[in-house]
Amino acid sequence: MTAHRGRARAALALAVAVSSAGLIAITASPAETATSGSAVSVALVEWKLVPGQITVRAGRVTFVVRNDGTMAHEFVILRSDRHHHSLTVKGGKAVETGRLGEIPKIPSGTAKRITLKVPRGRYVMLCNMLGHYQAGQYASLRAR
């Protein structure tokens, strides 16, 4: 299990570096699908939200959210059939219709976790601090 965690951390670090450079879109293969009751790593940096997986099995999922940025961020997960970059925005924030859960404030350099019952469906994970969603701090998630 330790070797698996090391590979997962290395893959996440590579994904953060590459996506920060804007070179690829993050996708997940079937091997990267989290199992029910598992933990999903999420990295927050200025204007990116990088999940370790984008597909999970429906059920209890723990999101371990790390703020690797220089400012405070938050983590919100919404159930939505809308594309992750086309949520309705009002007052500089995405409208949180379908909110499943939230970690309100995650200071720079810290990590927090939230465990949620995630039914089958499509979700959007985002930082919804003023202007952060519009700047690109979001990702999609699917529960099967």
Side-chain angles (χ1 to χ4, degrees), residues 106-129:
I106 307 166
S108 176
T110 65
K112 294 189 178 183
R113 62 180 56 224
I114 186 171
T115 301
L116 302 168
K117 183 176 180 185
V118 181
R120 288 182 182 190
R122 293 177 183 210
Y123 297 86
V124 177
M125 299 176 288
L126 65 139
C127 176
N128 208 18
M129 296 183 85

Side-chain angles (χ1 to χ4, degrees), residues 28-140:
S29 69
E32 295 169 317
T33 300
T35 59
S36 184
S38 66
V40 174
S41 303
V42 178
L44 300 171
V45 293
E46 277 70 46
W47 325 137
K48 300 279 183 197
L49 185 151
V50 183
Q53 294 88 230
I54 60 169
T55 304
V56 296
R57 287 192 186 153
R60 286 178 49 101
V61 178
T62 299
F63 296 89
V64 180
V65 185
R66 242 183 22 260
N67 183 351
D68 292 332
T70 60
M71 61 180 60
H73 292 289
E74 69 178 1
F75 176 77
V76 179
I77 184 164
L78 310 174
R79 185 173 188 152
S80 178
D81 286 328
R82 296 189 77 164
H83 196 276
H84 57 276
H85 66 10
S86 65
L87 298 177
T88 302
V89 175
K90 289 188 181 173
K93 294 183 173 190
V95 175
E96 293 187 7
T97 303
R99 184 173 63 196
L100 185 65
E102 175 179 10
I103 302 173
K105 186 176 182 181
I106 307 166
S108 176
T110 65
K112 294 189 178 183
R113 62 180 56 224
I114 186 171
T115 301
L116 302 168
K117 183 176 180 185
V118 181
R120 288 182 182 190
R122 293 177 183 210
Y123 297 86
V124 177
M125 299 176 288
L126 65 139
C127 176
N128 208 18
M129 296 183 85
L130 187 64
H132 291 210
Y133 171 74
Q134 293 99 310
Q137 203 167 8
Y138 52 76
S140 64

